């Protein structure tokens, strides 16, 4: 749920890779590595670019770039997707492989996790087959030390034949040495002689049959040995990429194809078929990694992972797993709701005090009253509402949520929920893309790229909107604090609010599963595809970084987005409220027009209009509702939540209105950015329309059923 | 077929086993190989998810959750 300017808004839409060199001497560095090895931390520390790290595979789904200068050279670092392998079993692996092969990087830095190095060596060895300009960065040495794992970096470098640098990127240790090594490798001061993996005789024989034939075609641009293995393997996606890169159709080169057949004759003689070839290639790499590991890694304690396993045993236990999950969510909400109350009032008081001063100024300056109306009553007041209603909950909620993310809890959520997704015939990774949706639905939809099967990916895209994003959380929290917090008195108040919010979220997850199931039984029929999920080690979160990152990357980002949309919206609302047609203002006419339909859903015309006007950004729904009511009401001073509640009640709000507004906020059309992202990701207007209609129709149906039932049994 | 071989999903929690055979093919087989599941790889069943499936395994120092569909296509020999 990286909610940075890069992964939300316009930045998120740029998936094409374009590298902008500022000079011919600039060196391009590919930054690769397994997921969860702190690759993004290395990236951020070196480039200073603020980019968020997530705890699941495929977080970095687009290529992020950053620049840094070391000594006398500029380096452009390209953060490629985290992968375990370059065998192109998934989209990220394909992207990673294609960039290392065809992106012409001057060097590739492979970031590895010192706490499970052997597994990481798989990717290192595969990369060494492609290019010799590799620098291995053994990261998380601090974590390894804590687990009493020691690594012989020098021996590792000997074994691999490339520079190996140990780092603890979170505290910045070793990064200078890493930059030095990159400098030397790109400046050809250090010549690497990477180890070569020798396969079975039969495979080697086949490779040497083909290799001479392709050397001429490759023109030294690629490692001929590696291309020979891949040609024999006949890997589809690589052949296509190769053709495009070389601008040469290898498949219609008779000489090469004849040699491929010859190679296969040799393999067949040795009794090797296609599956076996691949098995043997992979087995060789894996057992080589194992051998290198045994020479370079030593464990002082057998039980180095015991703490993690014990925590997992509790957090994912049969009895407590799901209650703890809901409990943690509830606690985050409780802290947010109780904590946000007081600062919200303070900020509101201050901002409205400031409004009075502005008014004084306009009176003093003698400007026409419509200028004051437009600027102060229109724009300023809306902004003041946005800031005072949204800032405090966000400033508490986001750091807490980021903390859970940083600890490594989210993959456990996916583990706990997987069976439900399987039963809904959806992909297990949808639990992860759903979690990303809590941050930003547009980011969640981009994240759906980690799902390979097109059917399951579409399901994940269409249902992503059923969890509230950062823009909608404040709406839900605001309604709860304004409306329900006042209903129950005393200490129970915050408990009731928390339960309500938790209930809404759990309902959103339930609807995600239900709609996924319905989709996979109707327009997107099929069975769930294969799924593996890594539960990465728990990491000690860095509180300082968590706060800085969540405040700057998320809170201020969301607030800025809200403010930039709210200002013009405030203006429009004020104008609509002050242009009269007949006896009524334009605002009342519009609301009146929507009212009959809105009433069926338990809402009113103003609320529905706020949702429509909120299409560019969901953040402004509540401010618009308040502004519309203020424009038509007679309460002038609003400096406490109680008065806000009175404002809503005086416009006919009951608990039913509040619940229906929350339900509709949870289930309606995706915001503008999200719709645009869906179009880009699915490449089809049809699926964009489906993604727009499915949550909208669901919301309308649920609100209608809920409000009619309540009215029918006369609860109101 | 070795009589001691069982599908991985039948391996009791807390027990270790050695991988003997992958019966899957295509993309699933490749993914299993990428996890490092080659012949004789040691694997330990760690933890069941609250609803019983998937199960988390220790594979070469990493904790990987596999659904029963995938685990049943990995034949292992338990180490007692």
């Amino acid at each position: 749920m990286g909610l940075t300017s890069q992964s939300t808004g316009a930045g998120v839409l740029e998936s094409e890779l374009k590298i902008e060199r500022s000079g011919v001497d600039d060196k391009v560095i590919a930054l690769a590595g397994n997921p969860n090895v702190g690759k993004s931390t290395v990236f951020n520390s070196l480039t200073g670019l603020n980019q968020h790290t997530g705890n699941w595979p495929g977080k970095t789904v687009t290529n992020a770039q950053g620049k840094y200068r070391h000594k006398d050279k500029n380096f452009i670092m390209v953060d490629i997707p985290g992968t375990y392998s370059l065998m192109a079993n998934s989209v990220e692996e394909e992207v990673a492989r294609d960039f290392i092969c065809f992106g012409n990087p001057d060097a590739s830095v492979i970031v590895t996790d010192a706490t499970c190095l052997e597994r990481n060596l798989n990717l290192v060895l595969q990369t060494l087959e492609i290019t010799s300009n590799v620098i291995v960065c053994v990261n998380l040495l601090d974590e390894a030390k804590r687990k009493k794992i020691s690594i012989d970096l020098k021996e590792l470098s000997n074994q691999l034949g490339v520079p190996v640098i140990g780092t603890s990127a979170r505290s910045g240790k070793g990064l200078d040495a890493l930059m030095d090594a990159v400098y030397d490798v790109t400046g050809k001061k250090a010549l690497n002689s990477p180890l070569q993996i020798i396969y079975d005789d039969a495979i080697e024989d086949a490779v040497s049959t083909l290799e001479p034939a392709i050397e001429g075609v490759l023109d030294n641009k690629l490692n001929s040995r590696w291309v020979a293995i891949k040609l024999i393997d006949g890997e589809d996606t690589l052949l296509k990429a190769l053709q495009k890169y070389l601008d040469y159709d290898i498949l219609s080169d008779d000489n090469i194809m004849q040699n491929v057949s010859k190679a296969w004759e040799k393999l067949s003689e040795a009794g090797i078929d296609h599956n076996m070839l691949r098995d043997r290639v992979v087995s060789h790499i894996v057992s080589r990694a194992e051998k290198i590991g045994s020479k370079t890694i030593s464990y002082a304690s057998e039980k180095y992972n015991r703490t993690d396993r014990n925590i997992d045993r509790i957090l994912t236990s049969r009895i407590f797993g799901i209650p703890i999950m809901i409990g943690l969510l509830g606690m985050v909400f409780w802290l947010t709701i109780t904590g946000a109350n007081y600062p919200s009032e303070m900020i509101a008081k201050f901002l409205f005090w400031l409004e009075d001063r502005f008014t004084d100024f306009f009176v003093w300056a003698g400007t026409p009253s419509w200028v004051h109306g437009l600027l102060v009553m229109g724009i300023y007041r809306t902004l003041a509402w946005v800031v005072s209603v949204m800032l405090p909950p966000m400033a508490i909620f986001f750091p807490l949520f980021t903390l859970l993310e940083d600890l490594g809890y989210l993959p456990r959520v996916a583990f706990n929920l997987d069976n439900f997704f399987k039963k809904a015939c959806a992909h297990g990774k949808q639990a992860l893309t759903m979690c990303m949706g809590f941050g930003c639905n547009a980011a969640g939809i981009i994240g759906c790229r980690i799902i390979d099967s097109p059917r399951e990916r579409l399901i994940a895209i269409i249902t992503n909107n059923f969890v509230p994003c950062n823009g909608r959380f404040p709406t839900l929290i605001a309604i709860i604090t304004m409306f329900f917090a006042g209903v129950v008195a005393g200490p129970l108040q915050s408990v009731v609010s928390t339960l309500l919010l938790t209930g809404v979220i759990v309902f959103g997850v339930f609807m995600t599963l239900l709609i996924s199931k319905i989709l996979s039984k109707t327009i997107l029929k099929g069975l769930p595809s294969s799924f593996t999920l890594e539960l990465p080690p728990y990491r000690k979160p860095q509180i300082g970084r968590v706060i800085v990152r969540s405040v700057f990357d998320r809170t201020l980002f969301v607030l800025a987005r809200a403010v930039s949309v709210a200002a013009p919206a405030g203006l429009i609302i004020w104008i609509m409220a002050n242009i009269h047609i007949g006896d009524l203002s334009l605002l009342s006419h519009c609301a009146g027009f929507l009212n009959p339909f809105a009433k069926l859903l338990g809402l009113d015309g103003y609320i529905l209009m706020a949702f429509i006007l909120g299409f560019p950004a969901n953040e402004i729904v509540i401010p618009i509702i308040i502004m519309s009511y203020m424009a038509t009401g007679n309460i002038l001073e609003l400096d406490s939540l109680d008065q806000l509640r009175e404002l809503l009640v005086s416009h006919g709000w009951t608990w039913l209105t509040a619940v229906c507004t929350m339900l509709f906020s949870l289930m309606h059309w995706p915001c503008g950015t999200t719709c645009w992202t869906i179009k880009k990701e699915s490449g089809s207007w049809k699926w964009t329309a489906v993604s727009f209609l499915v949550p909208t129709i669901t919301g309308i149906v649920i609100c209608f059923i809920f409000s009619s039932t309540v009215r029918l049994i006369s609860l109101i | 077929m070795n009589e001691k071989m069982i599908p991985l999903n039948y391996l009791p929690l807390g027990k270790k086993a050695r991988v003997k055979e992958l019966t899957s093919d295509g993309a699933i087989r490749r993914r299993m190989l990428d996890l490092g599941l080659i012949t004789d790889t040691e694997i330990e069943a760690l933890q069941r998810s609250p609803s019983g499936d998937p199960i988390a395994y220790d594979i070469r120092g990493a904790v990987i959750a596999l659904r029963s569909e995938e685990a049943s296509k990995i034949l292992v020999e338990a180490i007692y």
Side-chain angles (χ1 to χ4, degrees):
Chain A
M1 71 206 56
L3 200 81
T4 60
S5 46
Q6 202 164 14
S7 65
T8 342
V12 87
L13 307 173
E14 274 304 318
S15 55
E16 294 295 311
L17 182 66
K18 283 186 209 113
I19 296 169
E20 287 168 18
R21 291 180 205 231
S22 52
V24 280
D25 287 337
D26 288 6
K27 301 291 180 190
V28 177
I29 312 298
L31 188 69
N34 286 16
N36 308 309
V37 295
K39 198 160 66 71
S40 297
T41 317
V42 172
F43 181 68
N44 291 340
S45 312
L46 291 184
T47 62
L49 195 91
N50 241 330
Q51 208 219 3
H52 182 59
T53 51
N55 261 322
W56 48 78
K59 165 62 195 39
T60 319
V61 278
T62 50
N63 287 290
Q65 296 174 41
K67 286 182 186 171
Y68 73 88
R69 196 175 168 79
H70 188 60
K71 293 180 185 166
D72 57 338
K73 272 194 206 126
N74 287 320
F75 293 86
I76 299 162
M77 192 158 253
V78 182
D79 190 12
I80 59 180
T83 61
Y84 296 109
S85 136
L86 297 175
M87 299 285 180
N89 290 330
S90 67
V91 183
E92 311 100 83
E93 288 178 17
E94 215 178 300
V95 172
R97 182 202 62 197
D98 284 355
F99 188 73
I100 292 173
C101 289
F102 312 122
N104 285 331
D106 294 287
S108 301
V109 173
I110 315 289
V111 185
T112 59
D113 179 352
T115 64
C116 54
L117 187 62
E118 187 196 309
R119 174 172 160 70
N120 286 238
L121 286 177
N122 191 18
L123 179 72
V124 175
L125 294 179
Q126 287 184 26
T127 314
L128 288 178
E129 285 199 299
I130 302 174
T131 166
S132 59
N133 291 337
V134 171
I135 297 103
V136 175
C137 163
V138 179
N139 193 28
L140 300 168
L141 278 181
D142 44 355
E143 288 279 323
K145 199 175 166 192
R146 202 167 58 82
K147 292 184 172 178
K148 299 199 170 65
I149 301 169
S150 61
I151 288 156
D152 187 343
L153 297 173
K154 216 173 153 195
E155 178 58 23
L156 185 60
S157 177
N158 281 339
Q159 293 279 336
L160 296 172
V162 295
V164 173
I165 311 294
T167 59
S168 305
R170 294 188 302 180
S171 52
K173 271 186 201 146
L175 292 174
D176 278 332
L178 181 64
M179 286 192 283
D180 284 343
V182 170
Y183 185 90
D184 289 346
V185 168
T186 53
K188 302 292 175 206
K189 272 186 195 156
L191 283 177
N192 293 341
S193 48
L195 99 167
Q196 199 172 48
I197 291 166
I198 308 294
Y199 298 104
D200 306 355
D201 290 347
I203 298 176
E204 286 298 328
D205 212 16
V207 169
S208 54
T209 307
L210 180 59
E211 207 180 333
I214 52 174
E215 260 167 359
V217 178
L218 293 181
D219 199 20
N220 278 332
K221 283 188 205 158
L222 291 169
N223 183 325
S224 54
R225 183 183 154 83
W226 180 74
V227 175
I229 297 174
K230 294 294 157 184
L231 272 178
I232 297 171
D233 192 7
E235 204 183 286
D236 251 7
T237 59
L238 182 80
L239 291 178
K240 277 183 200 136
L242 199 62
Q243 237 161 35
K244 209 171 141 194
Y245 174 69
L246 295 171
D247 201 18
Y248 180 75
D249 189 2
I250 287 187
L251 295 182
S252 42
D253 183 317
D254 288 341
N255 183 31
I256 293 179
M257 291 331 279
Q258 271 168 20
N259 280 297
V260 170
S261 315
K262 268 189 211 162
W264 267 113
E265 277 166 28
K266 290 190 175 175
L267 289 173
S268 308
E269 273 171 35
I272 296 176
D273 66 11
H274 206 107
N275 252 348
M276 281 167 77
L277 171 72
R278 205 165 261 180
D279 278 17
R280 289 195 188 186
V281 168
V282 176
S283 300
H284 263 88
I285 297 174
V286 172
S287 50
R288 189 64 186 259
E290 198 179 297
K291 264 180 216 145
I292 296 174
S294 69
K295 282 180 191 153
T296 53
I297 311 167
S298 49
Y299 303 93
S301 151
E302 267 289 293
K303 299 281 174 199
Y304 63 96
N305 271 333
R306 188 194 266 171
T307 322
D308 278 13
R309 303 288 145 79
N310 286 341
I311 297 173
D312 271 342
R313 214 154 281 155
I314 300 164
L315 290 185
T316 63
S317 84
R318 172 156 267 180
I319 303 165
F320 301 115
I322 288 172
I324 287 177
M325 196 171 74
I326 295 172
L328 274 173
L329 194 70
M331 198 156 85
V332 168
F333 291 151
W334 183 77
L335 287 170
T336 306
I337 292 168
T338 42
N341 231 325
Y342 188 65
S344 263
E345 282 195 38
M346 296 277 289
I347 293 173
K349 263 186 190 145
F350 171 74
L351 290 175
F352 289 106
W353 172 83
L354 209 61
E355 183 192 300
D356 292 343
R357 301 292 82 77
F358 279 129
T359 305
D360 292 347
F361 171 80
F362 280 104
V363 170
W364 172 80
T367 49
S369 68
W370 64 267
V371 173
H372 170 253
L374 268 179
L375 294 178
V376 177
M377 305 302 280
I379 296 174
Y380 179 83
R381 199 169 250 199
T382 314
L383 291 185
W385 277 119
V386 170
V387 173
S388 59
V389 171
M390 289 177 57
L391 181 61
M394 286 196 303
I396 299 171
F397 178 74
F398 292 159
L400 289 174
F401 204 83
T402 313
L403 198 69
L404 282 183
E405 250 180 87
D406 250 41
L407 279 164
Y409 184 64
L410 295 187
R412 274 78 190 176
V413 171
F415 182 62
N416 282 340
L417 292 178
D418 179 60
N419 208 20
F420 299 109
F421 281 95
K422 189 169 94 178
K423 286 194 178 130
C425 293
H427 199 282
K429 285 185 187 162
Q430 195 180 327
L432 295 178
T433 60
M434 183 185 79
C435 285
M436 288 188 224
F438 280 116
C440 165
N441 293 125
I445 279 153
I446 299 263
C448 292
R449 288 182 188 174
I450 60 174
I451 299 169
D452 295 325
S453 127
R455 180 190 76 87
E456 287 155 309
R457 190 170 153 210
L458 274 174
I459 291 180
I461 288 177
I462 295 168
T463 55
N464 194 274
N465 206 45
F466 284 109
V467 292
C469 61
N470 285 335
R472 287 183 281 162
F473 260 114
T475 307
L476 298 172
I477 295 173
I479 292 175
I480 288 171
T481 38
M482 283 190 307
F483 206 82
F484 293 103
V487 179
V488 193
L492 264 178
Q493 174 173 308
S494 55
V495 176
V496 170
S497 307
T498 304
L499 287 178
L500 259 168
L501 188 52
T502 313
V504 171
I505 304 305
V506 171
F507 183 69
V509 174
F510 172 77
M511 288 310 290
T512 303
L513 291 165
L514 182 70
I515 301 294
S516 297
K517 175 106 189 174
I518 293 173
L519 285 172
S520 59
K521 291 289 170 211
T522 53
I523 52 173
L524 287 163
K525 276 193 187 122
L527 292 169
S529 63
S530 106
F531 162 76
T532 59
L533 171 78
E534 177 168 15
L535 303 177
Y538 290 99
R539 308 251 192 255
K540 207 173 91 190
Q542 291 165 299
I543 308 290
R545 274 183 98 106
V546 165
I547 291 172
V548 169
R549 223 172 50 212
S550 50
V551 167
F552 286 95
D553 284 5
R554 297 188 167 177
T555 311
L556 293 184
F557 175 77
V558 172
L559 197 68
R561 196 171 101 113
V563 163
S564 63
V565 178
L571 191 68
I572 291 170
I573 297 283
W574 188 85
I575 292 171
M576 284 172 76
N578 285 278
I579 293 178
H580 288 76
I581 299 172
D583 284 345
L584 288 169
S585 67
L586 197 55
L587 188 71
S588 310
H589 276 294
C590 287
F593 172 74
L594 293 170
N595 207 39
F597 178 65
K599 283 282 180 207
L600 285 177
L601 310 182
L603 311 172
D604 69 26
Y606 291 104
I607 303 173
L608 190 55
M609 194 173 62
F611 277 111
I612 294 169
L613 287 173
F615 179 68
N618 280 303
E619 289 87 338
I620 58 168
V621 169
I622 285 287
I624 292 178
I625 293 174
I626 294 171
M627 289 311 297
S628 321
Y629 286 158
M630 301 244 294
T632 55
N634 44 19
I635 300 172
L636 291 173
E637 286 293 323
L638 283 176
D639 50 11
S640 78
L641 288 170
D642 280 344
Q643 280 170 313
L644 263 178
R645 184 181 140 72
E646 276 169 34
L647 176 76
L648 296 179
V649 171
S650 74
H651 281 82
W653 275 52
T654 61
W655 66 267
L656 178 66
T657 323
V659 170
C660 286
T661 307
M662 277 164 41
L663 286 175
F664 200 71
S665 170
L666 188 70
M667 296 171 290
H668 68 290
W669 49 86
C671 76
T673 314
T674 307
C675 285
W676 175 242
T677 310
I678 294 171
K679 166 70 181 64
K680 263 208 108 148
E681 289 297 304
S682 65
S684 115
W685 284 112
K686 182 187 138 198
W687 290 113
T688 312
V690 171
S691 311
F692 184 93
L693 291 173
V694 164
T696 307
I697 292 170
T698 311
I700 289 173
V701 169
I702 298 276
C703 285
F704 175 73
I705 292 175
F706 183 74
S707 60
S708 316
T709 313
V710 169
R711 285 185 188 130
L712 209 69
I713 58 175
S714 314
L715 281 174
I716 295 275
Chain B
M1 187 174 146
N2 190 326
E3 297 217 333
K4 281 186 254 168
M5 286 209 285
I6 50 164
L8 180 59
N9 54 326
Y10 285 101
L11 183 70
L13 294 185
K15 286 269 185 264
K16 288 181 183 175
R18 276 185 205 288
V19 174
K20 289 294 161 193
E21 199 186 329
L22 300 181
T23 58
S24 52
D25 54 12
I28 304 176
R29 187 185 185 89
R30 275 153 68 184
R31 194 157 292 161
M32 295 302 129
L33 288 171
D34 267 347
L35 292 175
L37 289 173
I38 59 172
T39 309
D40 282 338
T41 303
E42 203 176 287
I43 189 167
E44 182 186 349
L46 296 175
Q47 173 76 30
R48 229 173 252 281
S49 105
S51 45
D53 188 37
I55 297 174
Y57 299 95
D58 179 336
I59 302 172
R60 296 182 180 272
V63 182
I64 311 284
L66 298 177
R67 285 179 176 172
S68 57
E69 285 81 353
E70 279 76 39
S72 66
K73 288 176 184 152
I74 301 168
L75 300 181
V76 298
E77 200 180 288
I79 306 169
Y80 291 101

